[in-house]
Amino acid sequence: MHLDLATILILHPLSLTVGALCFLYLRYRSRRNRGLGKMAVAFLILALGSLIAGAGEQEVVDYATWTFVSFTTGPVAYTLFFIGLANLLTERPAGRWWWLMLAPAVLTVVALVTQFHLVNLYRASAFLTAMALYALGSAAFALSDPQQERLGSRYGLAAALAFKALIALTTIAGIVTPELFRFPPAATFLVLILCQFAIAMFVLILVQERAEQRLIALTETDSLTRIHNRYWLMDRLPKLAPKGGGFMVIDLDHFKRVNDLYGHLAGDLVLKSAAQAMAARLGEGAYFARTGGEEFGLYLPRASEDEMLAIGEMLRQAVEALTVVYEGVTIPVTLSAGASVATEEMSTKRLAARADHALYVAKRAGRNRVRLYEEPDPVEQASWDGAIMTATGA
């Protein structure tokens, strides 16, 4: 099917309008996503400029008017789109990005003074250069991942924007050196239409992907302490811990007494303070979570017994050093911890049960201390193995 230029000039603003409606729909559904409104306005401005250019080609609008309007709308729209995209990716107000609007303002003044927009070569070159620069800038910003969200859709968005810049640059080459590059206007606009749809599609996917990631994070985060929860930890623990895998069970000492003496709000403050203090001292390779009540679990894929004791002692000292003040009263906080290191491959449940036994030993020894699992005497071992078998369902 052959599409002539007149038909393409009708489809081009329609594609921009559809993209703008997509942005507005997303903005309506999720007011948290900043920038979508600006991006919608940018697409509508481009659509208006395209309509006026089409009307000018049909001699419905006089040459001086349509060339000026179609030229000035481009830089304004591309600048506004970049600002909107920056808002969307950073989720912050436009702020310092608004100064970029000076560029299209300067171009408009220059066009009014020099009337260079009346010359097709100059007008098209300036318009396409602005398109290329802002498209490349938007692509680079998308790839920079300013919030470290690791959204796969940003690569598709960056590719669509970069391809739009490539179209602009090759079109400039075709205008300047027509003997070397020949690009029919209808083909150029058709590719631009596809780019418009691709950009709108990837923005939609990005917003959806971000929402899904946050929903998953919500289900895996303890609402009180803001660290990971038991579900997150259990989902990441291997069924079989390798030799050298370490597990630690941590329990805040006399937590019930804190709730009874100072109230549950004070207890919540103690939990949050202790959890954040411990989490801040653990590296990325540690799997740490609140497993219930005042209890926390820590799994290390590789650690020696000395390392487990050192880490436990570091956490104990960090919590003991806390100054938790509630309604003018300082609440002392300490913890007890039990750790176990797999001497051979064993089930993670068994490893955790041994750490729990070590915690029991630490509490029995007076609390506010860390104990490593040690093999009990034969009688106690038989009793403990039976408890482990019952707990693990083995």
Side-chain angles (χ1 to χ4, degrees), residues 88 181-182 208 220 225 240 262 271 287 304 329 354 365:
L88 179 66
F181 297 92
R182 294 184 180 274
Q208 184 65 27
E220 295 179 339
T225 61
L240 291 176
Y262 307 106
L271 275 172
Y287 296 82
S304 67
V329 179
R354 291 189 171 205

Side-chain angles (χ1 to χ4, degrees), residues 105-325:
V106 170
L107 281 175
T108 301
V109 171
V110 171
L112 285 172
V113 173
T114 65
Q115 298 291 298
F116 78 88
H117 61 281
L118 298 176
V119 181
N120 183 60
L121 175 62
Y122 299 154
R123 181 184 70 254
S125 297
F127 182 94
L128 292 168
T129 299
M131 178 197 297
L133 289 175
Y134 279 108
L136 285 174
S138 298
F141 203 89
L143 287 176
S144 69
D145 195 12
Q147 298 221 90
Q148 301 298 309
E149 294 174 297
R150 300 179 182 177
L151 303 175
S153 52
R154 62 193 175 89
Y155 295 107
L157 177 59
L161 288 164
F163 191 68
K164 186 170 184 177
L166 179 63
I167 295 169
L169 293 174
T170 52
T171 304
I172 292 173
I175 294 172
V176 176
T177 57
E179 67 280 1
L180 298 178
F181 297 92
R182 294 184 180 274
F183 298 100
T188 301
F189 276 101
L190 184 58
V191 176
L192 280 175
I193 289 171
L194 296 176
C195 276
Q196 256 79 259
F197 281 125
I199 290 168
M201 178 186 71
F202 281 115
V203 168
L204 188 151
I205 295 173
L206 185 145
V207 171
Q208 184 65 27
E209 190 178 7
R210 172 184 279 169
E212 289 176 357
Q213 277 196 5
R214 287 179 174 168
L215 181 60
I216 292 172
L218 188 63
T219 63
E220 295 179 339
T221 303
D222 178 59
S223 59
L224 175 63
T225 61
R226 308 310 301 169
I227 66 170
H228 291 300
N229 58 20
R230 181 184 183 86
Y231 169 81
W232 177 88
L233 182 62
M234 294 299 106
D235 186 55
R236 281 156 179 78
L237 287 180
K239 290 184 178 180
L240 291 176
K243 181 179 179 180
F247 196 89
M248 186 180 297
V249 180
I250 302 165
D251 191 85
L252 298 186
D253 295 328
H254 304 299
F255 184 72
K256 184 178 183 301
R257 185 186 303 172
V258 172
N259 283 332
D260 291 343
L261 289 177
Y262 307 106
H264 288 280
L265 291 179
D268 289 348
L269 180 60
V270 167
L271 275 172
K272 286 189 287 187
S273 301
Q276 292 298 324
M278 288 188 284
R281 286 162 176 79
L282 293 171
E284 292 185 359
Y287 296 82
F288 178 66
R290 181 188 179 193
T291 53
E294 68 274 24
E295 190 172 285
F296 302 84
L298 170 64
Y299 174 72
L300 296 174
R302 183 66 60 184
S304 67
E305 292 185 346
D306 289 341
E307 287 172 336
M308 288 297 289
L309 282 174
I311 291 171
E313 183 62 22
M314 174 186 67
L315 298 179
R316 188 198 67 78
Q317 291 178 10
V319 170
E320 188 179 33
L322 284 174
T323 301
V324 181
V325 180

Side-chain angles (χ1 to χ4, degrees), residues 332-344:
V333 188
T334 61
L335 65 78
S336 300
S340 177
V341 177
T343 55
E344 60 183 8

